[in-house]
Amino acid sequence: MKNKQENKIEAAIQALISGNKKFLDAKKSGYSHQTIKTAPAKNGQNPYAVVVTCSDSRVPPEHIFAAGIGELFVIRTAGNVIGDFELGSIEYAVGHLGTPVVLVLGHNHCGAVAAAMEGHGTGNIKKVLDEIMPVISGEKDVDKCENLNIEHSFYRISESEMVRDLIRKGEVKLISGKYDIETGGVEFF
């Protein structure tokens, strides 16, 4: 028999899956509508999922999952790279807001991964690429490199003691997936 938290986790994952289906259906029909919700402003936030994704402007999580204001806690960095600030933000969402699911969402045609594969980057961009390059370690297939980068971000999040503890207690689930820019679909891993 499932406990209340397991049901909450399952409902959050189902909301991501069905939200992406709504997005795909709306994309086919040309209909797009985002409901403005004022309750989070008055009552505080209660997101059902943390979505860690790339800063790429073609990857808007609220649209991809047909989510309204206050439903997702979104953390975006180039190449969905995870550092201390991102981990702290995730810990805030799962530890203080009680968000039950953390999704690492990579995507195809990722410029940060492509730049890391080519070894290009200067200034602070190089710091992002320095996080990705060891993970892809000479791999030439871009799809595999994108997947390795998603896997690495997943691993980095699981290094958080707080997140690990909440996962062990069954209060949080860490999942990953990949967004296809052409189709709008998300493949959950």
Side-chain angles (χ1 to χ4, degrees), residues 78 81-82 116 120-134:
V81 169
I82 304 295
H120 299 306
T122 60
N124 288 314
I125 296 169
K126 186 173 178 338
K127 292 178 184 177
V128 173
L129 304 183
D130 286 347
E131 184 70 23
I132 299 170
M133 285 190 286

Side-chain angles (χ1 to χ4, degrees), residues 68-161:
I69 293 171
E71 293 183 323
L72 298 177
F73 191 93
V74 178
I75 301 165
R76 297 180 73 167
T77 61
N80 45 271
V81 169
I82 304 295
D84 292 342
F85 293 116
E86 293 77 23
L87 278 177
S89 297
I90 294 164
E91 289 174 355
Y92 171 76
V94 298
H96 296 284
L97 300 177
T99 307
V101 171
V102 179
L103 167 64
V104 176
L105 182 66
H107 67 95
N108 62 343
H109 305 296
C110 182
V113 171
M117 289 176 72
E118 296 166 7
H120 299 306
T122 60
N124 288 314
I125 296 169
K126 186 173 178 338
K127 292 178 184 177
V128 173
L129 304 183
D130 286 347
E131 184 70 23
I132 299 170
M133 285 190 286
V135 176
I136 60 175
S137 62
E139 175 61 55
K140 300 296 181 210
D141 180 284
V142 68
D143 186 56
K144 286 182 183 175
C145 288
E146 290 163 349
N147 292 347
L148 287 168
N149 189 52
I150 294 166
E151 194 176 291
H152 179 66
S153 295
F154 183 95
Y155 172 75
R156 289 279 288 127
I157 294 167
S158 70
E159 288 181 323
S160 160
E161 190 175 319

